[in-house]
C-alpha cells in the first residue's frame, strides 16, 4: 500500500504534505496508520521509504551555517599580537627598513597559513569523529525489524523503541508498555512523563500543549522506561523540536582546563615580555640606539616572547590524539576528557559485556529439587539437559517462563535481542521447547519489561478459561520475595524455610562457579495484576548461565595495576557470580552488595571504598554514590554504563564511558567517551593514550617556552653587556614561527614512552608548568642567552661585527635543536636509544639545520636576514656552544640522581 496510490475511503495524507500528521495524537492509532498508508505490522517497503525520503528529505535538523574557509583564514589575523606585528611592519616600512618589513609580512603569512591548516586538520578529525556516532533507529520495514540511520526515517515509518532509546522523529504511539519519556529537551520538564496509546481528548478542538500530548513521542526526547512502537508523523525540521529555533543552536565546546592553563600562561608571558620590553628599551636608550630601530626591536622582542604557536599545536595534538583513539575503539566526545583520562586513578567497570564477552550459554538448570547439567556451546541448539531423559514434561514446565517471558529470537547466524534471553531460548530448545512457536500460541496481553533496577521481567497471557497467566523471570533473590510457592520434587509446595535455603544454596553454588543465575516463576490470576503488586508466584526453575571473561581483560587489569589505576567491578549480578569472575580477572578487594551499600552512610562508604573491589547486585543509582565516594577521596573516576539509568553516574564521573554496542542512546549522550567495542581493555588503552598526549603537550610547551625565555634573556643580556642586538626582528620571528614550528609539531605527535603505564597517575591538580619544569625552562633559556652572548662577544674580538652577529644568530638557532631533545625527555632518560625513536623529530631537526645553512650561505637569504657566510670553524664553534644546553641538562640530571641515591632531596 502506498501513501499516494491508496484508493480506500480513508483520507490518506499526500506524501507531498511535509507537515505529516500534526494532529495524530488526537486520532486513534488506526486512523493515523491509514492516513500515512502503512500497516504497522509490516511497516513501509524499502521503495516507499525511498520515495518518501525523496520528498521529505533527510530527517535531521538544519545545521548552523558554516563559516567560509576564507573567513577562517582571515580569522588567523584577528589576534592582537598579529596586530602589533602588522604595526611593526608598517613602522619598519616607514623608516625605510624595507627588508624587515617584508620579512615580517611574509612570516605573518606563513604563520596564518600554518595556523589555518592546523585548525582545519583538527576540525576535520573532530568531524570524522562526529560521523562515527551517527544516530540509528530500529524500524520495521518490509515486515522485518532492522536498524537504519535515523536520518533516513520518513513519515509512516514504524519505529521500535525501548528504555534508553532516543526518539528519532516525532511519532504517534501504536504500542506502549509501561512507557515513560524524558521530554526535558523539548518541554524543560525534568520528570519523565507516562505515555499511552489512547488518543488525547480535547474539548472543542482546544489546542493541547506539547507536554500533554501523551500519545505522541517527540524527536530528541528519551524513553526512560518500557517498550514502545510509534508511527513517524513528522521528520527533520517539521518536528516539534525543529520548530524551536533555539534548540538548533549548537553550543561550542568550552575550553579544556589545559587550554585555560595555557591561556593564562600566555597572558603572564605577555606581561613578562612587556616588562622585558621596557627594560630593554631603557638599556638601549642609555646606549643611545636610534628610536626607530628601538621601536622595531622592542615590538619584535615582545612577539618573540609570546608563544604564538602554542594554542594551535595544543588543539591539533588533542584532536589528533582523539582521532587516534577513535580508530582504536574509544570515541572521545569532549577534548577535555583526554586530560582527565591521563590522570584517571580508578576505573569502575560494568561486568557483563565489558569485562566478560557477553556470550551467554546456559550450563545448569535446577528444577523440582534436581540440578541438571546443560551441554552444548554458544547459541547453537545442539546439546541436551543431561540426566533429563524421561522427565521431558518436568523440563518443559521448568523452561516455559524462560521461553515465553522473553523477547530474543534465534536466527541462522546467531540471535536478535538480549544475550541472556537468547541463552534461555537456547536452553528451552535443548529441553525440547520451540520458544517462537510457543510465543505465538500464548500471545501477550501485557508485560513489565526488564529493568536493571527491579531485576525481573513479567509477561501476561490469556488462559482458555479467561484467567490470566503470569510468567516472570529475573534475579533469584528478587523472585524469592515475590514467590509464595515452589515447584518441588513432589509438586507445588509452599516456599518454606527449608525450600528457601535449598534455593539459596543452589544460587550460591551456581554463582560461585561464575554463572549468572536467573529464576523462573509463574502464576494464574483472575485478572491482569497491578504491575506494582505481582501475585504470589510459584518458583519453577533456576538457570545458571556462563559468560566467560574477555581474554584481553586480564592483561589490561595487570596493566592497570602497574599504572596505579584501581579497577572496581560494578554489576547487577549476584555477589557469588561477581566474586568468581573478579577472581578470574585478578580484581582484588572486598565484595559489597547493593543492600549493604544502602545501609552505609556516605562517610562510611568513602572510608571503605579503597578496599572494595566488587560491587554486586547494585542498582544504577548506587553508581552515583560510588562515584561520589571515590571523588571525595580525591580519585579521578572513569565509570562505564549502558542503561538509561546509568546516565546520572556517567555525568557524575570525571570520565563517563558508554558502551557503543549495547549502550542506550541516553547513556551515549551522557558519556564523555563511547567504546565502539564495549571492551574493558579499550578503556585502559585510552588511559594510556591520555597519558601519552599529556606528556607530549608537556614536551612542546617546554620546548617553545624555553625559546621565548632564551630570546628575552639574550636580548637583555647583550644590551646589558653593551653589545649590538644579536637577533633582529626578522630573525626572532623566523625562529619563533618557522624554525620552532616543525620540531614542536614533531614533539606533539611523539610515540608514547614504554614506561607510560609504569608510573602512578599524574596528580590532577598538577600545573603543566610546575616548579621543576619552570626551573628547567629558565635554566635552558639562561644557557642559550649566555652561550649566544658569549659567542657574540668572543667573535667580535676576532672577526667583523656582521660575522659575529651571524654566529650569534646561528648559535641561538642551533640551541633550539639541542633543547628539543631536553624537552622530549621531560623526566625520562636524556640520552640513549629512546631519543632516536621519533624519526619525524630528527627529520625536522635536519630540516632546521639545512634551512639555517641556507639562511647563512645563500645570497638572497643573506640579504633578507642580514647574515654573512661562516666558515667551518665558525660553524663548529656555534654547534659546540649550542650543545652546552644539552650537556648542562645532563649534568643537572646526573647531579640530581646522585643526590637521590645518597638520600638527599633532589
Ligand atoms: P552489568 O554488569 O552490565 O551492570 P549485569 O548483567 O551485571 O550488567 P543486569 O543486566 O542488570 O546486570 O542483570 C542483573 C540481574 O538481573 C541478573 O543477575 C539477572 O538475574 C537478572 N536479569 C538480567 N537480564 C534479565 C532479563 N532479560 N530478564 C530478566 N532478568 C534478567
Amino acid at each position: 500500500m502506498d501513501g499516494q496510490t491508496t484508493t480506500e475511503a480513508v483520507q490518506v495524507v499526500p506524501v507531498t504534505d511535509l507537515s505529516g500528521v500534526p494532529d495524530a495524537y488526537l486520532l486513534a492509532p488506526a486512523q493515523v496508520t491509514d492516513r500515512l498508508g502503512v500497516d504497522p505490522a509490516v511497516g513501509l517497503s524499502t521503495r516507499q521509504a525511498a520515495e518518501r525520503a525523496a520528498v521529505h528529505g533527510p530527517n535531521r535538523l538544519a545545521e548552523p551555517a558554516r563559516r567560509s574557509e576564507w573567513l577562517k583564514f582571515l580569522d588567523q589575523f584577528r589576534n592582537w599580537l598579529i596586530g602589533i606585528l602588522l604595526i611593526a611592519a608598517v613602522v619598519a616600512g616607514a623608516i625605510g627598513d624595507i627588508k624587515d618589513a617584508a620579512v615580517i609580512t611574509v612570516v605573518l603569512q606563513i604563520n596564518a597559513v600554518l595556523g589555518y591548516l592546523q585548525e582545519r586538520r583538527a576540525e576535520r578529525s573532530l568531524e570524522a569523529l562526529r560521523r562515527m556516532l551517527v544516530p540509528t533507529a530500529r524500524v520495521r520495514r518490509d515486515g522485518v525489524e532492522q536498524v537504519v540511520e535515523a536520518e533516513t526515517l520518513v513519515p509512516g515509518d514504524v519505529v521500535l523503541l525501548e528504555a534508553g532509546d532516543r526518539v528519532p522523529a516525532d511519532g504517534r504511539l501504536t504500542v506502549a508498555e509501561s512507557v515513560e519519556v524524558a521530554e526535558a529537551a523539548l518541554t524543560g520538564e525534568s520528570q519523565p512523563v507516562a505515555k499511552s496509546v489512547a488518543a488525547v481528548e480535547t474539548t472543542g478542538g482546544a489546542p493541547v500543549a506539547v507536554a500533554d500530548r501523551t500519545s505522541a513521542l517527540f524527536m530528541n526526547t528519551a524513553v526512560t522506561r518500557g517498550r514502545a512502537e510509534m508511527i513517524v508523523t513528522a521528520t527533520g525540521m517539521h518536528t516539534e523540536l525543529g520548530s524551536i529555533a533555539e534548540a538548533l543552536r549548537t553550543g561550542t565546546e568550552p575550553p579544556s582546563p589545559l587550554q585555560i592553563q595555557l591561556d593564562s600562561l600566555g597572558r603572564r608571558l605577555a606581561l613578562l615580555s612587556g616588562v622585558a620590553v621596557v627594560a630593554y628599551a631603557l638599556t638601549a636608550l642609555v646606549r643611545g640606539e636610534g628610536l626607530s630601530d628601538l621601536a622595531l626591536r622592542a615590538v619584535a622582542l615582545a612577539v618573540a616572547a609570546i608563544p604564538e604557536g602554542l594554542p594551535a599545536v595544543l588543539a591539533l595534538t588533542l584532536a589528533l590524539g582523539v582521532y587516534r583513539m577513535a580508530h582504536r575503539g574509544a570515541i572521545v566526545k569532549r577534548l577535555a576528557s583526554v586530560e582527565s583520562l591521563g590522570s584517571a586513578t580508578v576505573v569502575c567497570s560494568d561486568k557483563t559485556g565489558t569485562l566478560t564477552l557477553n556470550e551467554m550459554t546456559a550450563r545448569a538448570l535446577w528444577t523440582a529439587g534436581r540440578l541438571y547439567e546443560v551441554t552444548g556451546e554458544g547459541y547453537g541448539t545442539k546439546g541436551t539437559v543431561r540426566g533429563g531423559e524421561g522427565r521431558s514434561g518436568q523440563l518443559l514446565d521448568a523452561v516455559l517462563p524462560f521461553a515465553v517471558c522473553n523477547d530474543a529470537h534465534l536466527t541462522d547466524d546467531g540471535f536478535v535481542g538480549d544475550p541472556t534471553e537468547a541463552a534461555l531460548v537456547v536452553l528451552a530448545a535443548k529441553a525440547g521447547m520451540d520458544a517462537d512457536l510457543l510465543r505465538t500460541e500464548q500471545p501477550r496481553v501485557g508485560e513489565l519489561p526488564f529493568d536493571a533496577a527491579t531485576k525481573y521481567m513479567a509477561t501476561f497471557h490469556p488462559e482458555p478459561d479467561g484467567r490470566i497467566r503470569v510468567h516472570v523471570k529475573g534475579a533469584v533473590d528478587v523472585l524469592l520475595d515475590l514467590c509464595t510457592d515452589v515447584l518441588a520434587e513432589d509438586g507445588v509446595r509452599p516456599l518454606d524455610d527449608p525450600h528457601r535455603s535449598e534455593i539459596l544454596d543452589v544460587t550460591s553454588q551456581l554463582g560461585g562457579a561464575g554463572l549468572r543465575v536467573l529464576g523462573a516463576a509463574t502464576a494464574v490470576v483472575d485478572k491482569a495484576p497491578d504491575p506494582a503488586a505481582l501475585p504470589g508466584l510459584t518458583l519453577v526453575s533456576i538457570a545458571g548461565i556462563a559468560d566467560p571473561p574477555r581474554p584481553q581483560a586480564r592483561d589490561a587489569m595487570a596493566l592497570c595495576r602497574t599504572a596505579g589505576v584501581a579497577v572496581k567491578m560494578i554489576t547487577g549480578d549476584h555477589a557469588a557470580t561477581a566474586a568468581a569472575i573478579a577472581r578470574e580477572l585478578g580484581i582484588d578487594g572486598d565484595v559489597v552488595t547493593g543492600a549493604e551499600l544502602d545501609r552505609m552512610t556516605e562517610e562510611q562508604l568513602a572510608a571503605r571504598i579503597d578496599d572494595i573491589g566488587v560491587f554486586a547486585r547494585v542498582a544504577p543509582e548506587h553508581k552515583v554514590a560510588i562515584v561520589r565516594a571515590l571523588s571525595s577521596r580525591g580519585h579521578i573516576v572513569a565509570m562505564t554504563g549502558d542503561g538509561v539509568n546509568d546516565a546520572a553516574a556517567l555525568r557524575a564521573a570525571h570520565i563517563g564511558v558508554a558502551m557503543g554496542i549495547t549502550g542506550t542512546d541516553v547513556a551515549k549522550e551522557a558519556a564523555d567517551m563511547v567504546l565502539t567495542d564495549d571492551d574493558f581493555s579499550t578503556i585502559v588503552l585510552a588511559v594510556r593514550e591520555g597519558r601519552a598526549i599529556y606528556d607530549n603537550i608537556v614536551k612542546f610547551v617546554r620546548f617553545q617556552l624555553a625559546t621565548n625565555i632564551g630570546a628575552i634573556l639574550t636580548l637583555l643580556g647583550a644590551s646589558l653587556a653593551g653589545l649590538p642586538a644579536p637577533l633582529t626582528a626578522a630573525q626572532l620571528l623566523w625562529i619563533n614561527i618557522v624554525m620552532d614550528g616543525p620540531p614542536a609539531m614533531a614533539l606533539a605527535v611523539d610515540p608514547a614512552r614504554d614506561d607510560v603505564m609504569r608510573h602512578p597517575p599524574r596528580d590532577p591538580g598538577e600545573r603543566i608548568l610546575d616548579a621543576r619544569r619552570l626551573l628547567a625552562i629558565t635554566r635552558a633559556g639562561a644557557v642559550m642567552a649566555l652561550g649566544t652572548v658569549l659567542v657574540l662577544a668572543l667573535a667580535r674580538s676576532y672577526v667583523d661585527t656582521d660575522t659575529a652577529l651571524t654566529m650569534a644568530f646561528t648559535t641561538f638557532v642551533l640551541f633550539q635543536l639541542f633543547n628539543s631533545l631536553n624537552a622530549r625527555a621531560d623526566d625520562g632518560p636524556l640520552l640513549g636509544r629512546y631519543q632516536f625513536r621519533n624519526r619525524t623529530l630528527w627529520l625536522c631537526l635536519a630540516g632546521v639545520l639545512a634551512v639555517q645553512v641556507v639562511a647563512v650561505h645563500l645570497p638572497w637569504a643573506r640579504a633578507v636576514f642580514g647574515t654573512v657566510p661562516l666558515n667551518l670553524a665558525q660553524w663548529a664553534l656555534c654547534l659546540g656552544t649550542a650543545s652546552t644546553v644539552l650537556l648542562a641538562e645532563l649534568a643537572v640530571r646526573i647531579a640530581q640522581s646522585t643526590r637521590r641515591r645518597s638520600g638527599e632531596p633532589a
Side-chain angles (χ1 to χ4, degrees), residues 350-352 418 421 450 473-475 516-517 571-573 617:
D350 282 341
K351 174 180 71 69
T352 311
D418 173 45
E421 299 200 337
F450 172 70
K473 72 173 194 314
R516 190 172 165 80
V517 190
T571 176
D573 254 344
R617 271 289 185 261

